[in-house]
């Protein structure tokens, strides 16, 4: 569909056994439409045009605001909030960072994306473990398991059994934002709900966390608009 400003919002329609239509504007700017059988998706989209336009404009506004404060988060490969040129070469497995360039070397016919994904997972686990160890010590709690995987809807979570789960996309974030996320999940080891006590724990671990918290949604849109990250997690 085309918006009044000329932007186009691609959409897909799925028919399922549901009672009412459901519309979701994905973080990459595409629209997912779920409708009951024998219901025309295009008519639902047309009837919800104002809502779609409002959601889309909100996404674009948050993304534009973020891009004013940080490096080129969309045109290059972003790691820990910094933009790098990605150089891919053939040879023995190796990855290195030199200034604003990341060099990835893999054997011929091997996927550099799989190798990069594996190295990012290891690096993120190391960073999260280091931060979590400090925060757990401060609150007198411990976690049982730490996982890193490609979650579709969350940066991170704390599940039953005191398991800390982190999205591989967290490696896209600046370190201060990662610190906030780790503090947030460690605080859930103390208080499961987002109560006043919970936010007091977060504040004690990361004083002045509000800016990082407020920018996470913009980074969520940014990582889903970065072509290299899209390829990496496709």
């Amino acid at each position: 569909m085309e918006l009044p400003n000329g932007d186009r919002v691609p959409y897909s329609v799925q028919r399922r056994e549901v009672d009412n239509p459901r519309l979701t504007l994905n973080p990459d700017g595409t629209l997912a439409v779920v409708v009951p059988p024998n219901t025309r998706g295009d008519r639902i989209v047309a009837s919800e045009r104002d809502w779609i336009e409002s959601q889309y404009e909100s996404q674009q506004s948050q993304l534009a605001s973020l891009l004013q404060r940080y490096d080129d988060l969309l045109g290059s490969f972003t790691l820990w909030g910094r933009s790098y040129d990605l150089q891919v070469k053939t040879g023995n497995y190796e990855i290195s960072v030199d200034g604003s360039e990341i060099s990835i070397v893999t054997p011929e016919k091997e996927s550099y994306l799989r190798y990069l994904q594996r190295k990012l997972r290891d690096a993120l686990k190391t960073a999260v473990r280091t931060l979590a160890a400090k925060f757990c010590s401060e609150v007198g709690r411990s976690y049982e398991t730490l996982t890193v995987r490609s979650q579709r809807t969350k940066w991170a979570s704390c599940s039953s059994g005191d398991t800390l789960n982190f999205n591989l996309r967290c490696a896209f974030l600046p370190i201060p934002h990662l610190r906030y996320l780790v503090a947030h999940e460690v605080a859930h080891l103390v208080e499961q709900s987002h109560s006043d006590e919970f936010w007091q724990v977060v504040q004690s671990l990361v004083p002045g966390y509000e800016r990082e918290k407020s920018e996470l949604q913009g980074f969520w849109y940014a990582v889903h608009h970065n072509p290299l990250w899209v390829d990496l997690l496709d």
Side-chain angles (χ1 to χ4, degrees):
M1 66 169 292
E2 185 170 340
L3 300 178
N5 65 3
D7 288 352
R8 296 190 65 83
V9 178
Y11 70 89
S12 60
V13 178
Q14 290 187 336
R15 288 178 173 80
R16 298 180 188 172
E17 295 295 333
V18 295
D19 294 330
N20 299 297
R22 297 200 300 263
L23 282 75
T24 303
L25 186 63
N26 296 316
D28 63 358
T30 61
L31 181 69
V33 184
V34 177
V35 296
N38 302 319
T39 300
R40 287 186 54 176
D42 58 339
R43 290 183 177 177
I44 298 300
V45 170
S47 68
E48 296 295 334
R49 185 183 185 88
D50 290 346
W51 178 87
I52 296 167
E53 182 180 357
S54 174
Q55 295 295 305
Y56 180 83
E57 289 178 350
S58 176
Q59 280 193 10
Q60 293 301 305
S61 175
Q62 291 186 64
L63 181 58
S65 177
L66 189 75
L67 295 177
Q68 289 178 354
R69 295 193 292 272
Y70 293 91
D71 284 343
D72 179 13
L73 298 175
L74 305 185
S76 303
F77 183 73
T78 299
L79 178 64
W80 310 132
R82 291 188 58 192
S83 297
Y84 295 90
D85 293 324
L86 209 58
Q87 300 296 324
V88 180
K89 305 174 183 178
T90 301
N92 295 326
Y93 285 112
E94 183 181 5
I95 186 167
S96 60
V97 180
D98 183 9
S100 61
E101 180 178 291
I102 295 179
S103 177
I104 302 174
V105 185
T106 58
E108 190 175 0
K109 296 183 181 180
E110 290 295 322
S111 170
Y112 81 90
L113 289 173
R114 283 200 297 269
Y115 177 57
L116 177 59
Q117 190 179 98
R118 186 165 68 251
K119 298 298 286 186
L120 287 175
R121 183 176 286 106
D122 292 343
L124 181 58
K125 271 192 174 182
T126 297
V128 170
R129 281 177 178 147
T130 301
L131 292 167
K134 175 180 180 297
F135 293 146
C136 284
S137 176
E138 292 183 26
V139 300
R141 295 288 195 278
S142 62
Y143 62 90
E144 293 294 327
T145 308
L146 173 66
T147 70
V148 172
R149 58 181 186 268
S150 180
Q151 298 173 253
R152 292 191 175 275
T153 60
K154 296 180 179 180
W155 287 113
S157 63
C158 179
S159 56
S160 60
D162 293 341
T163 296
L164 303 183
N165 308 294
F166 286 85
N167 194 324
L168 183 58
R169 293 175 178 86
C170 288
F172 185 89
L173 294 170
I175 294 299
H177 297 70
L178 179 62
R179 288 183 71 250
Y180 161 71
L181 280 174
V182 177
H184 185 115
E185 302 313 326
V186 167
H188 277 308
L189 299 173
V190 179
E191 175 60 44
Q192 292 186 352
S193 68
H194 290 108
S195 62
D196 289 343
E197 180 185 1
F198 169 84
W199 291 111
Q200 289 169 8
V201 173
V202 175
Q203 175 67 21
S204 71
L205 296 174
V206 185
Y209 65 86
E210 290 84 1
R211 175 172 176 172
E212 285 73 26
K213 178 177 181 290
S214 68
E215 290 182 340
L216 284 178
Q217 193 62 50
F219 274 107
W220 187 251
Y221 299 141
V223 72
H224 284 85
H225 281 80
N226 183 295
L228 287 168
W229 272 91
V230 171
D231 289 345
L232 181 68
L233 296 173
D234 187 11

